[in-house]
Amino acid sequence: MGRYIVKRVAVGLVQLIGLTVAVFFLIRLLPADPASRLVGMNPSREAYEQARHQLGLDQPLLTQLGAYLGLSSSGPGLLEGDFGTSWVTSSPVGSEIATYLPVTLELVTISFLIAFLVSVPIGMVGALNPGGRSDKAVFVYGLFAGSQPEFWWGLLFVYVFFFALGWAPAPLGSLSPMTSPPPSVTGFLTIDSLLAGQPDVFVEALQHLVLPVATLVFVLSGPIVKMVRQNMARALRADFVLYANCAGLPPARVARYALRAAMAPSMTLIGILYGFMLGGAVLVENVFSLPGIGQYAVRAVLAYDYPAIQGVVLVITALSLVVYLGIDLIHAAIDPRIVH
Amino acid sequence: MSATDAMAPVYQEDVPLPRRRDWLLWVGAGVVATVVVLALIGPWLAPYDPTSTTPDVSVPPPALAEIPGLLSGVLRGNLAEAPHWMGTDASGFDIFSRIIVAPRTDLSIALVSNILSLVLGVLLGLLAGYFRNLATEAMMRVSDVVQSFPAFISAMILVALAGRSLGNIIIALALLYTPIYIRLTRAEVMAQKVRGFVEAARAMGNSELTIALRHVLPNALTPALIQSSVTIGFAILLTAGLSYVGAGVRPPTPEWGLMIANGANQLILGEWWSSVFPGIAISLTVFGFAVLGNALERRYERD
C-alpha cells in the first residue's frame, strides 16, 4: 500500500512538471501581448519596452522558464513554492489563490455532498425497477440534467427565486455588501463565521450559497444518477444478489448489499467529477459573483496575467490529482482486490 | 460545458432499456436534424437581420393569446412588419432571428472541432493501439497530460490568448477533445487486433500498415463515432460557456451563449426573454445530442 502511494505521488509530480512546462510555453507562444495590455492605449516606445523588461519578456524563453522555476539567481521560484507575482495586482499569486480557492472548495464540496445524497436514492429507484416507468424517468432525467448549461439554470434560479419570489438574496457575492466578513482563519465563510461566534453571518453565508449550490446539485445529479443506476443494475444481476434473494433476505437488505458493491466502481467517477468541478464551477461563480478560483482564472486570462494563469492551472490540476489519489485509496479500502 | 464533460473519457456500457421501439433515438435524431437544418437555412428563415439592431428595444414577446392572430397575419402577409416572436433584447436585436441563425456558429464550431479531433484522435489511437512501442507510449503520456488540464479553463486560456476568433475556438476544442478519441480508439484497436481476421489478413501477405488501416481501423471506429455525438453536444456547451465569460466569439455574432450573457443583466430587472429563449435552445440541442449518442451506444452494444 505504501509503495503504491509513493508511486502514484511520483507519477503525479512528473505529470505536474510536464504540465507546468507545457503551460509555460503554450501561453508564451500564443500571439497575446501582455506588455501592451499593461501600458494601455498608445504608449510611448520607451514605456512599452520598459514594461516588457519589467515582466522579463525581453529575455529568452528558457531564461524566463528558469526564473519562473527558481533555477536562476533572480529570486525564489516555483520549486521553492513561490508562484511569482501577479502582473496586474503586484501581489503574490500564491496568497491570492489562497483567498480565492476556499470559496470554490466550499461551494463544490457542499454541492457534491448534497448531489450525492439526492442522486443515490434516485438512481437506486431506477435500478430496482428495471424497465419500469420509474426506471425510464430516472434514465431520461440523468441524461437531461447531465447535458445542461449550468450558467443558464443559475440565471433562471435567480429570476425565479430572487426577482419573482424574493426568497433568495441578490446574486452579488457570498455575503451582502453591508456585512463585514469574519476574520479569515480557514477561508471557508461558513466555518470562519462559526469560529468567530457570529451565527447571523453564518446564516447569511448559507443563504447566499443556496442558489449556486442548487444549480451545481442539479447539473451534478445527472452524471451521478446515471452512474448509480448503471452500477446498481449491474450489481443486482450478480450471483450474490440471487443468493441473498433465495436465502429469503428482505429486499431492503439485499438492496443495501448491492449498493455497496455498486459504490466501489462509482468512486472513480466521483473523483473525476470533483476534479472537473474545481475548474468547472467558474460559470456558476460568475453568475452569482462568488469570488472563487474560477473567477480569478477568468480575470487572469482576460488580463493576460501569465503568473496568475500558470498558478491557477497548476493548483487546480494538483488538487485534482490529490483527489484522484484519495478516491483510489478509498476505493481500495472498499474493494481490497484492487491493490493486488 | 457541463458536469458530464468529465465523464466523456470514461466509456461505460449502459444498461439497456428493454424496449423494442426506441423512441429516445427518434427524439434525439429529430432535435439534431432540426439544428442541422437551421444551420443550413436559418438565415433565410429569419424575419430580421440577426446582426443589426431594430429601433424596438426590450420588446417583450407577444402574449400567448395574440400568437394565433399574428400567425394568420404572417401567413396572409398583411402585417406591416414581422412580429418579434421572442421579443427584442436591450440593444434591439430580434431574438427569434438570432436564435435560428445561431446554429451556424454553435454547430459549425462543435462539428468542425469534433471532426478534426476525431480524425486526429482515431489515427493516433490506431497507431498507439496497433504498434505499441516507446514512441506511442510517450504519446499516450502526452495525451494524459493534456487530459489532466482543467478543460474549461484551458479552453479559455487558448482562446483568449490566441484571439477570440471562430478558428481559434475550433482549434482549442479540437486539442482538448483529441485525447478522448485517442483513448477510445486505442482500447478498441487492442481488442480487435488479436482477432482471427487480422491473423488471416497477415497470412494473406498484407503489410502491417495495410492491416492496421484497411482491416483493423474500420472495425475499431464505432466507439469513437458514437462518442462524437455526445462530444458535439458538450462542445456546444463549452462554446456557449466561453462566450458567457467573455472569452468566446465576439458580439454581435449570433451565438446562444453570447445571447444569454447579453440578457443576464436584464434578467435581474425582470426582462427574462433575452436569456430564457437562447437557453432553451442550448438545453434542447445538447440534450438531443446526448440522447442520440446514448441511443446509438445502446444499439451498438445490443448487436
Side-chain angles (χ1 to χ4, degrees), chain A residues 19 27 32 139 144 146-148 150-152 155 159 162-163 223 229-230 273 276 282 286-287 301 304 309 316-317, chain B residues 1-4 7 12 14 17 24 148-149 152 157 160-161 244-245 267-268 270 272 275-276 279 283 286 294:
Chain A
L19 179 108
I27 57 182
F139 175 76
F144 181 76
S147 56
Q148 290 304 302
E150 71 274 44
F151 56 103
W152 180 66
L155 288 171
Y159 179 75
F162 166 68
F163 176 78
R229 175 180 167 273
Q230 276 171 24
L273 264 180
F276 172 79
V282 40
N286 200 308
V287 169
V301 167
Y304 299 165
I309 296 175
I316 290 183
T317 314
Chain B
M1 157 117 309
S2 104
T4 357
M7 283 179 67
Q12 282 191 326
D14 208 335
L17 287 174
L24 274 176
S148 70
F149 283 178
F152 186 78
I157 295 172
L161 298 190
Y244 187 75
V245 295
L267 193 86
I268 299 184
W272 52 272
S275 281
V276 166
S283 170
V286 182
N294 200 282

Tab-separated table of all heavy atoms in Angstrom, chain A residues 19 27 32 139 144 146-148 150-152 155 159 162-163 223 229-230 273 276 282 286-287 301 304 309 316-317, chain B residues 1-4 7 12 14 17 24 148-149 152 157 160-161 244-245 267-268 270 272 275-276 279 283 286 294:
chain	number	residue	atom	x	y	z
A	19	LEU	N	3.113	19.437	-17.089
A	19	LEU	CA	2.033	20.398	-17.283
A	19	LEU	C	2.536	21.828	-17.126
A	19	LEU	O	2.220	22.709	-17.930
A	19	LEU	CB	0.939	20.113	-16.261
A	19	LEU	CG	-0.265	21.024	-16.282
A	19	LEU	CD1	-1.448	20.277	-16.832
A	19	LEU	CD2	-0.569	21.526	-14.903
A	27	ILE	N	1.398	29.465	-23.308
A	27	ILE	CA	0.865	30.822	-23.223
A	27	ILE	C	1.843	31.830	-23.815
A	27	ILE	O	1.440	32.880	-24.280
A	27	ILE	CB	0.460	31.230	-21.785
A	27	ILE	CG1	1.611	31.101	-20.827
A	27	ILE	CG2	-0.715	30.427	-21.309
A	27	ILE	CD1	1.217	31.461	-19.406
A	32	ALA	N	-0.512	36.655	-27.838
A	32	ALA	CA	-1.021	37.714	-26.971
A	32	ALA	C	0.145	38.613	-26.553
A	32	ALA	O	1.275	38.158	-26.487
A	32	ALA	CB	-1.684	37.112	-25.749
A	139	PHE	N	-33.761	7.405	-16.012
A	139	PHE	CA	-32.801	7.363	-17.120
A	139	PHE	C	-32.814	8.686	-17.900
A	139	PHE	O	-31.774	9.296	-18.141
A	139	PHE	CB	-33.170	6.190	-18.031
A	139	PHE	CG	-32.344	6.081	-19.265
A	139	PHE	CD1	-31.057	5.592	-19.198
A	139	PHE	CD2	-32.858	6.455	-20.496
A	139	PHE	CE1	-30.288	5.488	-20.336
A	139	PHE	CE2	-32.093	6.354	-21.638
A	139	PHE	CZ	-30.807	5.871	-21.560
A	144	PHE	N	-30.779	14.234	-19.099
A	144	PHE	CA	-31.146	15.639	-19.226
A	144	PHE	C	-30.281	16.514	-18.320
A	144	PHE	O	-29.631	17.456	-18.777
A	144	PHE	CB	-32.627	15.823	-18.888
A	144	PHE	CG	-33.090	17.246	-19.023
A	144	PHE	CD1	-33.309	17.794	-20.269
A	144	PHE	CD2	-33.297	18.030	-17.901
A	144	PHE	CE1	-33.720	19.104	-20.399
A	144	PHE	CE2	-33.709	19.342	-18.037
A	144	PHE	CZ	-33.926	19.876	-19.289
A	146	GLY	N	-27.535	15.948	-17.036
A	146	GLY	CA	-26.115	15.885	-17.352
A	146	GLY	C	-25.738	16.665	-18.602
A	146	GLY	O	-24.577	16.753	-18.948
A	147	SER	N	-26.704	17.220	-19.305
A	147	SER	CA	-26.366	17.914	-20.550
A	147	SER	C	-26.934	19.334	-20.545
A	147	SER	O	-27.435	19.803	-21.552
A	147	SER	CB	-26.899	17.130	-21.749
A	147	SER	OG	-28.288	16.932	-21.626
A	148	GLN	N	-26.867	19.992	-19.403
A	148	GLN	CA	-27.480	21.318	-19.305
A	148	GLN	C	-26.448	22.430	-19.137
A	148	GLN	O	-25.420	22.241	-18.494
A	148	GLN	CB	-28.454	21.349	-18.124
A	148	GLN	CG	-29.686	20.514	-18.375
A	148	GLN	CD	-30.383	20.938	-19.648
A	148	GLN	OE1	-30.778	22.070	-19.809
A	148	GLN	NE2	-30.500	20.016	-20.595
A	150	GLU	N	-25.170	25.041	-17.152
A	150	GLU	CA	-25.432	25.344	-15.747
A	150	GLU	C	-25.587	26.834	-15.496
A	150	GLU	O	-26.356	27.243	-14.637
A	150	GLU	CB	-24.362	24.746	-14.837
A	150	GLU	CG	-22.989	25.401	-14.896
A	150	GLU	CD	-22.136	24.828	-16.002
A	150	GLU	OE1	-22.657	24.646	-17.122
A	150	GLU	OE2	-20.944	24.564	-15.772
A	151	PHE	N	-24.875	27.678	-16.300
A	151	PHE	CA	-24.979	29.118	-16.046
A	151	PHE	C	-26.391	29.597	-16.354
A	151	PHE	O	-26.914	30.489	-15.690
A	151	PHE	CB	-23.935	29.903	-16.846
A	151	PHE	CG	-23.962	29.672	-18.331
A	151	PHE	CD1	-24.529	30.602	-19.176
A	151	PHE	CD2	-23.396	28.548	-18.879
A	151	PHE	CE1	-24.545	30.410	-20.546
A	151	PHE	CE2	-23.410	28.339	-20.242
A	151	PHE	CZ	-23.982	29.259	-21.071
A	152	TRP	N	-27.023	28.972	-17.349
A	152	TRP	CA	-28.391	29.382	-17.691
A	152	TRP	C	-29.354	28.980	-16.578
A	152	TRP	O	-30.236	29.756	-16.194
A	152	TRP	CB	-28.801	28.739	-19.014
A	152	TRP	CG	-30.181	29.083	-19.452
A	152	TRP	CD1	-30.632	30.319	-19.814
A	152	TRP	CD2	-31.290	28.193	-19.561
A	152	TRP	NE1	-31.960	30.235	-20.157
A	152	TRP	CE2	-32.388	28.935	-20.007
A	152	TRP	CE3	-31.454	26.824	-19.342
A	152	TRP	CZ2	-33.644	28.371	-20.228
A	152	TRP	CZ3	-32.686	26.266	-19.568
A	152	TRP	CH2	-33.769	27.037	-20.005
A	155	LEU	N	-29.068	31.416	-13.830
A	155	LEU	CA	-29.800	32.656	-14.116
A	155	LEU	C	-31.302	32.462	-13.927
A	155	LEU	O	-31.990	33.335	-13.388
A	155	LEU	CB	-29.521	33.112	-15.550
A	155	LEU	CG	-28.136	33.682	-15.821
A	155	LEU	CD1	-27.908	33.893	-17.304
A	155	LEU	CD2	-27.969	35.002	-15.087
A	159	TYR	N	-33.772	34.477	-11.508
A	159	TYR	CA	-35.001	35.142	-11.935
A	159	TYR	C	-36.185	34.728	-11.064
A	159	TYR	O	-36.936	35.556	-10.567
A	159	TYR	CB	-35.286	34.831	-13.406
A	159	TYR	CG	-36.561	35.487	-13.893
A	159	TYR	CD1	-36.601	36.844	-14.149
A	159	TYR	CD2	-37.723	34.742	-14.061
A	159	TYR	CE1	-37.761	37.461	-14.569
A	159	TYR	CE2	-38.896	35.345	-14.478
A	159	TYR	CZ	-38.909	36.710	-14.728
A	159	TYR	OH	-40.059	37.311	-15.134
A	162	PHE	N	-35.045	35.106	-6.851
A	162	PHE	CA	-34.687	36.453	-6.385
A	162	PHE	C	-35.666	37.484	-6.929
A	162	PHE	O	-36.332	38.187	-6.176
A	162	PHE	CB	-33.253	36.802	-6.799
A	162	PHE	CG	-32.941	38.266	-6.649
A	162	PHE	CD1	-32.860	38.847	-5.391
A	162	PHE	CD2	-32.751	39.072	-7.765
A	162	PHE	CE1	-32.597	40.200	-5.249
A	162	PHE	CE2	-32.488	40.426	-7.632
A	162	PHE	CZ	-32.409	40.982	-6.369
A	163	PHE	N	-35.809	37.519	-8.265
A	163	PHE	CA	-36.640	38.579	-8.844
A	163	PHE	C	-38.132	38.351	-8.599
A	163	PHE	O	-38.830	39.213	-8.078
A	163	PHE	CB	-36.372	38.716	-10.347
A	163	PHE	CG	-37.275	39.728	-11.000
A	163	PHE	CD1	-37.012	41.081	-10.871
A	163	PHE	CD2	-38.404	39.332	-11.702
A	163	PHE	CE1	-37.845	42.022	-11.445
A	163	PHE	CE2	-39.249	40.275	-12.281
A	163	PHE	CZ	-38.968	41.617	-12.149
A	223	PRO	N	-24.913	13.117	-14.084
A	223	PRO	CA	-23.963	12.009	-14.188
A	223	PRO	C	-23.998	11.054	-12.994
A	223	PRO	O	-23.800	9.853	-13.177
A	223	PRO	CB	-22.602	12.705	-14.293
A	223	PRO	CG	-22.836	14.119	-13.965
A	223	PRO	CD	-24.257	14.418	-14.232
A	229	ARG	N	-27.372	4.321	-11.295
A	229	ARG	CA	-28.341	3.426	-11.917
A	229	ARG	C	-27.625	2.282	-12.646
A	229	ARG	O	-27.983	1.116	-12.496
A	229	ARG	CB	-29.215	4.214	-12.891
A	229	ARG	CG	-30.173	3.347	-13.674
A	229	ARG	CD	-31.020	4.161	-14.643
A	229	ARG	NE	-31.687	3.276	-15.577
A	229	ARG	CZ	-31.152	2.861	-16.711
A	229	ARG	NH1	-29.944	3.256	-17.052
A	229	ARG	NH2	-31.822	2.044	-17.506
A	230	GLN	N	-26.596	2.637	-13.427
A	230	GLN	CA	-25.861	1.603	-14.169
A	230	GLN	C	-25.198	0.587	-13.259
A	230	GLN	O	-25.369	-0.621	-13.419
A	230	GLN	CB	-24.749	2.255	-14.992
A	230	GLN	CG	-25.186	2.797	-16.319
A	230	GLN	CD	-24.083	3.609	-16.960
A	230	GLN	OE1	-22.902	3.424	-16.662
A	230	GLN	NE2	-24.457	4.507	-17.828
A	273	LEU	N	-15.231	13.756	-11.422
A	273	LEU	CA	-16.201	14.850	-11.431
A	273	LEU	C	-15.781	15.969	-10.496
A	273	LEU	O	-15.909	17.145	-10.816
A	273	LEU	CB	-17.568	14.330	-10.973
A	273	LEU	CG	-18.566	13.939	-12.039
A	273	LEU	CD1	-19.838	13.447	-11.395
A	273	LEU	CD2	-18.849	15.122	-12.925
A	276	PHE	N	-12.994	17.878	-11.927
A	276	PHE	CA	-13.508	18.663	-13.039
A	276	PHE	C	-14.225	19.913	-12.543
A	276	PHE	O	-14.079	21.000	-13.094
A	276	PHE	CB	-14.461	17.795	-13.844
A	276	PHE	CG	-15.190	18.553	-14.893
A	276	PHE	CD1	-14.564	18.869	-16.082
A	276	PHE	CD2	-16.477	18.974	-14.688
A	276	PHE	CE1	-15.225	19.591	-17.043
A	276	PHE	CE2	-17.144	19.693	-15.646
A	276	PHE	CZ	-16.518	20.005	-16.821
A	282	VAL	N	-16.567	27.632	-12.578
A	282	VAL	CA	-16.333	29.022	-12.943
A	282	VAL	C	-17.596	29.731	-13.425
A	282	VAL	O	-17.848	30.883	-13.079
A	282	VAL	CB	-15.195	29.134	-13.982
A	282	VAL	CG1	-15.270	28.058	-15.003
A	282	VAL	CG2	-15.180	30.471	-14.646
A	286	ASN	N	-19.432	32.852	-11.696
A	286	ASN	CA	-19.637	34.067	-12.458
A	286	ASN	C	-21.071	34.581	-12.314
A	286	ASN	O	-21.296	35.762	-12.064
A	286	ASN	CB	-19.308	33.770	-13.925
A	286	ASN	CG	-19.027	35.026	-14.713
A	286	ASN	OD1	-19.832	35.941	-14.690
A	286	ASN	ND2	-17.894	35.080	-15.376
A	287	VAL	N	-22.040	33.669	-12.432
A	287	VAL	CA	-23.448	34.081	-12.346
A	287	VAL	C	-23.734	34.716	-10.987
A	287	VAL	O	-24.429	35.720	-10.892
A	287	VAL	CB	-24.370	32.869	-12.574
A	287	VAL	CG1	-25.812	33.210	-12.229
A	287	VAL	CG2	-24.279	32.392	-14.007
A	301	VAL	N	-6.936	35.426	-17.100
A	301	VAL	CA	-6.848	35.138	-18.537
A	301	VAL	C	-7.158	36.385	-19.340
A	301	VAL	O	-6.440	36.738	-20.279
A	301	VAL	CB	-7.812	33.993	-18.911
A	301	VAL	CG1	-7.953	33.901	-20.414
A	301	VAL	CG2	-7.323	32.673	-18.337
A	304	TYR	N	-4.302	38.802	-19.393
A	304	TYR	CA	-3.006	38.238	-19.804
A	304	TYR	C	-2.020	38.186	-18.636
A	304	TYR	O	-0.840	38.497	-18.795
A	304	TYR	CB	-2.372	39.044	-20.937
A	304	TYR	CG	-3.171	39.093	-22.208
A	304	TYR	CD1	-2.865	40.027	-23.196
A	304	TYR	CD2	-4.212	38.204	-22.453
A	304	TYR	CE1	-3.587	40.088	-24.379
A	304	TYR	CE2	-4.935	38.257	-23.628
A	304	TYR	CZ	-4.624	39.204	-24.581
A	304	TYR	OH	-5.324	39.265	-25.743
A	309	ILE	N	-2.189	32.895	-14.363
A	309	ILE	CA	-2.740	31.804	-15.180
A	309	ILE	C	-2.031	30.501	-14.840
A	309	ILE	O	-2.653	29.464	-14.599
A	309	ILE	CB	-2.574	32.105	-16.683
A	309	ILE	CG1	-3.387	33.335	-17.085
A	309	ILE	CG2	-2.985	30.907	-17.518
A	309	ILE	CD1	-3.172	33.766	-18.521
A	316	ILE	N	-5.126	23.847	-9.641
A	316	ILE	CA	-6.320	23.029	-9.899
A	316	ILE	C	-5.927	21.617	-10.297
A	316	ILE	O	-6.494	20.638	-9.801
A	316	ILE	CB	-7.188	23.690	-10.994
A	316	ILE	CG1	-7.816	24.969	-10.441
A	316	ILE	CG2	-8.278	22.745	-11.450
A	316	ILE	CD1	-8.736	25.644	-11.385
A	317	THR	N	-4.919	21.503	-11.164
A	317	THR	CA	-4.518	20.159	-11.583
A	317	THR	C	-3.953	19.380	-10.401
A	317	THR	O	-4.273	18.194	-10.220
A	317	THR	CB	-3.472	20.245	-12.704
A	317	THR	OG1	-3.905	21.196	-13.654
A	317	THR	CG2	-3.297	18.903	-13.369
B	1	MET	N	-20.651	23.616	-21.541
B	1	MET	CA	-19.838	22.965	-20.514
B	1	MET	C	-20.736	22.379	-19.455
B	1	MET	O	-21.611	23.020	-18.942
B	1	MET	CB	-18.940	24.034	-19.912
B	1	MET	CG	-18.442	23.757	-18.543
B	1	MET	SD	-16.688	23.621	-18.508
B	1	MET	CE	-16.262	22.510	-19.714
B	2	SER	N	-20.522	21.150	-19.161
B	2	SER	CA	-21.385	20.560	-18.144
B	2	SER	C	-20.608	19.539	-17.345
B	2	SER	O	-19.491	19.176	-17.685
B	2	SER	CB	-22.580	19.881	-18.781
B	2	SER	OG	-22.398	18.496	-18.769
B	3	ALA	N	-21.228	19.074	-16.320
B	3	ALA	CA	-20.561	18.132	-15.441
B	3	ALA	C	-20.195	16.855	-16.167
B	3	ALA	O	-19.206	16.217	-15.853
B	3	ALA	CB	-21.471	17.820	-14.265
B	4	THR	N	-20.983	16.458	-17.137
B	4	THR	CA	-20.721	15.187	-17.798
B	4	THR	C	-19.524	15.260	-18.721
B	4	THR	O	-19.060	14.248	-19.189
B	4	THR	CB	-21.943	14.719	-18.599
B	4	THR	OG1	-22.968	15.647	-18.390
B	4	THR	CG2	-22.366	13.363	-18.166
B	7	MET	N	-17.059	13.023	-17.798
B	7	MET	CA	-17.331	11.608	-17.978
B	7	MET	C	-16.976	11.143	-19.370
B	7	MET	O	-16.892	9.958	-19.626
B	7	MET	CB	-18.817	11.346	-17.752
B	7	MET	CG	-19.195	11.325	-16.305
B	7	MET	SD	-20.958	11.032	-16.194
B	7	MET	CE	-21.036	9.363	-16.827
B	12	GLN	N	-18.461	3.890	-20.604
B	12	GLN	CA	-19.067	2.838	-19.803
B	12	GLN	C	-20.210	2.210	-20.571
B	12	GLN	O	-20.941	2.896	-21.263
B	12	GLN	CB	-19.618	3.437	-18.519
B	12	GLN	CG	-18.554	3.706	-17.493
B	12	GLN	CD	-19.180	4.036	-16.163
B	12	GLN	OE1	-20.221	4.648	-16.092
B	12	GLN	NE2	-18.544	3.606	-15.101
B	14	ASP	N	-23.802	0.973	-21.049
B	14	ASP	CA	-25.004	1.424	-20.381
B	14	ASP	C	-25.955	0.256	-20.218
B	14	ASP	O	-25.879	-0.725	-20.926
B	14	ASP	CB	-25.656	2.525	-21.206
B	14	ASP	CG	-26.443	3.445	-20.304
B	14	ASP	OD1	-26.848	2.979	-19.219
B	14	ASP	OD2	-26.633	4.606	-20.677
B	17	LEU	N	-32.326	-0.322	-21.949
B	17	LEU	CA	-33.726	-0.303	-21.575
B	17	LEU	C	-34.408	-1.380	-22.409
B	17	LEU	O	-34.320	-1.370	-23.630
B	17	LEU	CB	-34.351	1.058	-21.913
B	17	LEU	CG	-33.966	2.220	-21.024
B	17	LEU	CD1	-34.556	3.498	-21.584
B	17	LEU	CD2	-34.479	1.993	-19.618
B	24	LEU	N	-36.499	7.221	-27.787
B	24	LEU	CA	-35.474	8.217	-27.465
B	24	LEU	C	-34.563	8.478	-28.659
B	24	LEU	O	-34.136	9.600	-28.910
B	24	LEU	CB	-34.635	7.745	-26.272
B	24	LEU	CG	-35.183	8.084	-24.896
B	24	LEU	CD1	-34.315	7.477	-23.834
B	24	LEU	CD2	-35.269	9.592	-24.717
B	148	SER	N	-5.305	15.993	-18.350
B	148	SER	CA	-5.361	16.434	-16.956
B	148	SER	C	-5.515	17.956	-16.852
B	148	SER	O	-5.703	18.476	-15.768
B	148	SER	CB	-4.118	15.969	-16.192
B	148	SER	OG	-2.990	16.680	-16.634
B	149	PHE	N	-5.461	18.679	-18.001
B	149	PHE	CA	-5.750	20.110	-17.958
B	149	PHE	C	-7.185	20.314	-17.479
B	149	PHE	O	-8.068	19.577	-17.881
B	149	PHE	CB	-5.676	20.729	-19.363
B	149	PHE	CG	-4.304	20.975	-19.894
B	149	PHE	CD1	-4.120	21.495	-21.157
B	149	PHE	CD2	-3.181	20.683	-19.142
B	149	PHE	CE1	-2.858	21.729	-21.669
B	149	PHE	CE2	-1.915	20.911	-19.642
B	149	PHE	CZ	-1.760	21.431	-20.911
B	152	PHE	N	-12.311	23.587	-19.031
B	152	PHE	CA	-12.888	24.886	-19.355
B	152	PHE	C	-11.833	25.991	-19.292
B	152	PHE	O	-11.738	26.840	-20.176
B	152	PHE	CB	-14.046	25.207	-18.416
B	152	PHE	CG	-14.764	26.460	-18.804
B	152	PHE	CD1	-15.654	26.449	-19.852
B	152	PHE	CD2	-14.512	27.644	-18.145
B	152	PHE	CE1	-16.296	27.607	-20.239
B	152	PHE	CE2	-15.152	28.805	-18.525
B	152	PHE	CZ	-16.050	28.785	-19.573
B	157	ILE	N	-8.051	29.896	-21.760
B	157	ILE	CA	-6.693	30.419	-21.956
B	157	ILE	C	-6.342	30.422	-23.441
B	157	ILE	O	-5.898	31.436	-23.990
B	157	ILE	CB	-5.667	29.559	-21.179
B	157	ILE	CG1	-5.907	29.676	-19.674
B	157	ILE	CG2	-4.248	29.963	-21.528
B	157	ILE	CD1	-5.064	28.728	-18.857
B	160	ALA	N	-8.548	33.045	-25.382
B	160	ALA	CA	-8.315	34.441	-25.026
B	160	ALA	C	-6.931	34.905	-25.486
B	160	ALA	O	-6.769	36.029	-25.945
B	160	ALA	CB	-8.473	34.649	-23.527
B	161	LEU	N	-5.924	34.035	-25.356
B	161	LEU	CA	-4.571	34.457	-25.721
B	161	LEU	C	-4.319	34.360	-27.215
B	161	LEU	O	-3.505	35.100	-27.765
B	161	LEU	CB	-3.522	33.638	-24.961
B	161	LEU	CG	-3.540	33.751	-23.434
B	161	LEU	CD1	-2.316	33.107	-22.835
B	161	LEU	CD2	-3.631	35.193	-22.983
B	244	TYR	N	-20.045	33.199	-22.518
B	244	TYR	CA	-20.661	33.751	-21.310
B	244	TYR	C	-19.646	34.515	-20.458
B	244	TYR	O	-19.967	35.558	-19.894
B	244	TYR	CB	-21.336	32.655	-20.491
B	244	TYR	CG	-22.112	33.220	-19.340
B	244	TYR	CD1	-23.336	33.840	-19.547
B	244	TYR	CD2	-21.586	33.204	-18.054
B	244	TYR	CE1	-24.028	34.413	-18.511
B	244	TYR	CE2	-22.281	33.768	-17.006
B	244	TYR	CZ	-23.492	34.376	-17.247
B	244	TYR	OH	-24.165	34.960	-16.214
B	245	VAL	N	-18.413	33.993	-20.336
B	245	VAL	CA	-17.418	34.709	-19.524
B	245	VAL	C	-16.634	35.731	-20.340
B	245	VAL	O	-15.691	36.338	-19.830
B	245	VAL	CB	-16.420	33.760	-18.820
B	245	VAL	CG1	-17.125	32.895	-17.820
B	245	VAL	CG2	-15.651	32.928	-19.815
B	267	LEU	N	-32.086	40.268	-16.904
B	267	LEU	CA	-32.877	39.229	-16.244
B	267	LEU	C	-33.233	39.646	-14.819
B	267	LEU	O	-34.355	39.458	-14.357
B	267	LEU	CB	-32.076	37.931	-16.231
B	267	LEU	CG	-32.850	36.682	-15.869
B	267	LEU	CD1	-33.502	36.121	-17.117
B	267	LEU	CD2	-31.930	35.648	-15.266
B	268	ILE	N	-32.255	40.226	-14.130
B	268	ILE	CA	-32.475	40.619	-12.745
B	268	ILE	C	-33.518	41.734	-12.663
B	268	ILE	O	-34.183	41.919	-11.664
B	268	ILE	CB	-31.143	41.069	-12.101
B	268	ILE	CG1	-30.165	39.904	-12.112
B	268	ILE	CG2	-31.334	41.563	-10.693
B	268	ILE	CD1	-28.860	40.190	-11.437
B	270	GLY	N	-36.101	41.751	-14.580
B	270	GLY	CA	-37.380	41.200	-15.000
B	270	GLY	C	-37.509	40.957	-16.487
B	270	GLY	O	-38.502	40.419	-16.943
B	272	TRP	N	-36.933	38.727	-18.846
B	272	TRP	CA	-36.467	37.340	-18.874
B	272	TRP	C	-36.212	36.823	-20.272
B	272	TRP	O	-35.396	35.944	-20.488
B	272	TRP	CB	-37.494	36.429	-18.187
B	272	TRP	CG	-38.881	36.611	-18.742
B	272	TRP	CD1	-39.806	37.513	-18.320
B	272	TRP	CD2	-39.478	35.914	-19.830
B	272	TRP	NE1	-40.944	37.424	-19.078
B	272	TRP	CE2	-40.772	36.446	-20.009
B	272	TRP	CE3	-39.046	34.879	-20.677
B	272	TRP	CZ2	-41.630	35.991	-20.998
B	272	TRP	CZ3	-39.905	34.422	-21.656
B	272	TRP	CH2	-41.184	34.971	-21.817
B	275	SER	N	-32.646	36.081	-22.221
B	275	SER	CA	-31.795	34.963	-21.815
B	275	SER	C	-32.515	33.622	-21.887
B	275	SER	O	-31.895	32.608	-22.162
B	275	SER	CB	-31.310	35.154	-20.373
B	275	SER	OG	-30.256	36.064	-20.326
B	276	VAL	N	-33.811	33.631	-21.601
B	276	VAL	CA	-34.511	32.350	-21.457
B	276	VAL	C	-34.599	31.597	-22.782
B	276	VAL	O	-34.311	30.404	-22.844
B	276	VAL	CB	-35.910	32.577	-20.851
B	276	VAL	CG1	-36.767	31.336	-21.010
B	276	VAL	CG2	-35.784	32.925	-19.373
B	279	GLY	N	-31.376	29.989	-23.961
B	279	GLY	CA	-31.057	28.904	-23.035
B	279	GLY	C	-31.844	27.648	-23.360
B	279	GLY	O	-31.307	26.536	-23.330
B	283	SER	N	-30.294	24.059	-24.203
B	283	SER	CA	-30.721	22.943	-23.378
B	283	SER	C	-31.253	21.804	-24.238
B	283	SER	O	-30.842	20.649	-24.098
B	283	SER	CB	-31.781	23.461	-22.405
B	283	SER	OG	-32.391	22.422	-21.732
B	286	VAL	N	-28.346	20.252	-26.746
B	286	VAL	CA	-27.340	19.382	-26.129
B	286	VAL	C	-28.001	18.101	-25.633
B	286	VAL	O	-27.450	17.003	-25.776
B	286	VAL	CB	-26.620	20.115	-24.985
B	286	VAL	CG1	-25.558	19.227	-24.385
B	286	VAL	CG2	-25.995	21.385	-25.497
B	294	ASN	N	-26.495	8.339	-26.801
B	294	ASN	CA	-26.796	7.250	-25.875
B	294	ASN	C	-27.582	6.137	-26.555
B	294	ASN	O	-27.304	4.959	-26.363
B	294	ASN	CB	-27.588	7.830	-24.708
B	294	ASN	CG	-27.530	6.930	-23.512
B	294	ASN	OD1	-28.228	5.934	-23.486
B	294	ASN	ND2	-26.683	7.262	-22.563
